[in-house]
Amino acid sequence: MDLGLSGKVALVCASSKGIGKAVAKVLAEEGASVVMCARDGEALSKAREEVAESGRGEVVAVPCDLTRSVDVDALFREVDRRFGTLHILVNNAGGPPAGTFLDTNVEMWKEAFELNFLSAFRCTEKALPYMMKEGFGRIINITSFAVKQPIENLILSNGVRAGLVGMMKTLSREVGEKGITVNTICPGYILTKRLESVLEKRAAASGLSREEAFEMALSEVPAGRFGKPEEIGYVVAFLASEKAAYVNGVTLQVDGGLIRSLL
Ligand code: NAD
């Protein structure tokens, strides 16, 4: 199946490692030109080289802290200078710190809101005019299975990401007739630095060894293994394609069967 991504321009946020980097790689392999961004310029530049090696389109790296409006403005100026348009936006960022309700305070909630809600708002606000002009757009948000099944000791993530899904579902109905789709992916346990750090903190908080915490997480997954970052990339590539034009407003878990609810 030709996904029709050749010649499309994609911005993949937070793509120096983990899920973001894998998404950038799959989109580039499918022929899209890809703009990658993250805070750490050196790690980002290495990731860009890796993605460009197997990619068929142009691959550009722009250092950017997604919690800073000035950085996001500069990022979009670069997208405009290099390509003059944007067809695909993948909203992604790091995760907020672990903790329970009593571990948090107002400042921490504001930071989590900046990182996992406003970053996506800022990029989407800037991407939409290009997509409206093209009569084609794909906005794909990377959140967490937490939006369907809250995760213990991750209250900031559970709280803020649910708000993002509410905004994006509403947006999907507002822009649907313009050829723009808005969908959200909820990764389950995907083997990245973030997952290792979450499980190590879970071990420390519950008096388990690292191995026990990993085993316990694995026992929740019917597939019997952690996901690979590129397995999120393949789903993003389909949702970004012309073939997925009739998939809009979906909140889709990619989790090896982890989530226990029906929907
Ligand atoms: P990761 O820590 O491996 O990578 C995060 C990326 O975000 C890095 O490139 C980092 O540089 C970038 N980043 C962080 N803060 C940023 C900022 N302010 N501005 C720009 N870039 C920033 O994480 P991952 O495992 O790839 O996860 C990606 C997202 O998916 C996170 O929000 C994470 O919480 C969520 N998630 C991951 C899993 C999992 O199992 N890996 C499960 C559920 C949800």
Side-chain angles (χ1 to χ4, degrees):
M1 178 166 63
D2 177 9
L3 294 177
L5 291 176
S6 212
K8 295 280 194 296
V9 180
L11 168 59
V12 183
C13 295
S15 43
S16 66
K17 57 185 177 186
I19 292 172
K21 184 170 88 174
V23 168
K25 193 159 187 282
V26 174
L27 292 180
E29 283 165 359
E30 287 298 318
S33 290
V34 178
V35 180
M36 301 170 66
C37 79
R39 285 167 307 180
D40 175 353
E42 205 176 310
L44 180 66
S45 155
K46 271 173 70 183
R48 192 208 75 84
E49 274 171 37
E50 213 181 295
V51 170
E53 232 167 69
S54 55
R56 292 194 280 126
E58 240 185 289
V59 183
V60 173
V62 186
C64 169
D65 182 339
L66 292 157
T67 65
R68 288 167 45 92
S69 290
V70 282
D71 282 19
V72 174
D73 290 349
L75 169 66
F76 275 82
R77 273 201 303 278
E78 193 57 14
V79 169
D80 197 61
R81 192 180 73 78
R82 297 295 287 255
F83 301 105
T85 193
L86 187 68
H87 304 93
I88 300 159
L89 168 66
V90 180
N91 284 315
N92 180 43
T100 63
F101 182 91
L102 291 178
D103 296 327
T104 64
N105 56 41
V106 169
E107 271 319 303
M108 292 167 80
W109 281 101
K110 283 184 183 167
E111 280 169 23
F113 189 67
E114 278 287 349
L115 182 64
N116 294 114
F117 187 103
L118 285 183
S119 62
F121 171 79
R122 285 193 186 99
C123 291
T124 303
E125 185 189 30
K126 296 215 165 280
L128 276 175
Y130 294 110
M131 296 177 177
M132 301 259 195
K133 208 162 151 204
E134 292 281 350
F136 175 97
R138 299 284 183 265
I139 297 168
I140 299 153
N141 309 294
I142 308 294
T143 60
S144 167
F145 72 94
V147 304
K148 295 201 177 198
Q149 186 172 296
I151 307 170
E152 265 142 58
N153 205 41
L154 272 181
I155 196 166
L156 291 166
S157 174
N158 298 340
V160 171
R161 293 185 201 270
L164 180 72
V165 172
M167 175 175 73
M168 289 297 176
K169 176 71 184 175
T170 312
L171 178 64
S172 74
R173 296 186 57 85
E174 292 173 1
V175 295
E177 65 177 19
K178 312 260 189 233
I180 301 171
T181 65
V182 185
N183 293 296
T184 295
I185 292 180
C186 313
Y189 292 129
I190 309 296
L191 199 51
T192 65
K193 290 269 175 274
R194 164 81 180 168
L195 180 64
E196 287 178 27
S197 131
V198 165
L199 293 181
E200 279 159 11
K201 283 187 184 123
R202 191 178 288 179
S206 54
L208 297 171
S209 69
R210 187 179 188 274
E211 288 64 36
E212 284 168 332
F214 274 65
E215 277 305 313
M216 194 178 275
L218 261 188
S219 71
E220 294 174 52
V221 187
R225 64 173 177 84
F226 294 132
K228 300 175 197 156
E230 60 269 28
E231 289 176 311
I232 303 293
Y234 303 141
V235 180
V236 170
F238 176 69
L239 290 175
S241 73
E242 286 169 353
K243 302 281 192 276
Y246 208 56
V247 183
N248 190 23
V250 162
T251 307
L252 176 68
Q253 61 259 41
V254 181
D255 67 348
L258 165 64
I259 289 173
R260 299 186 76 98
S261 64
L262 291 178
L263 295 170

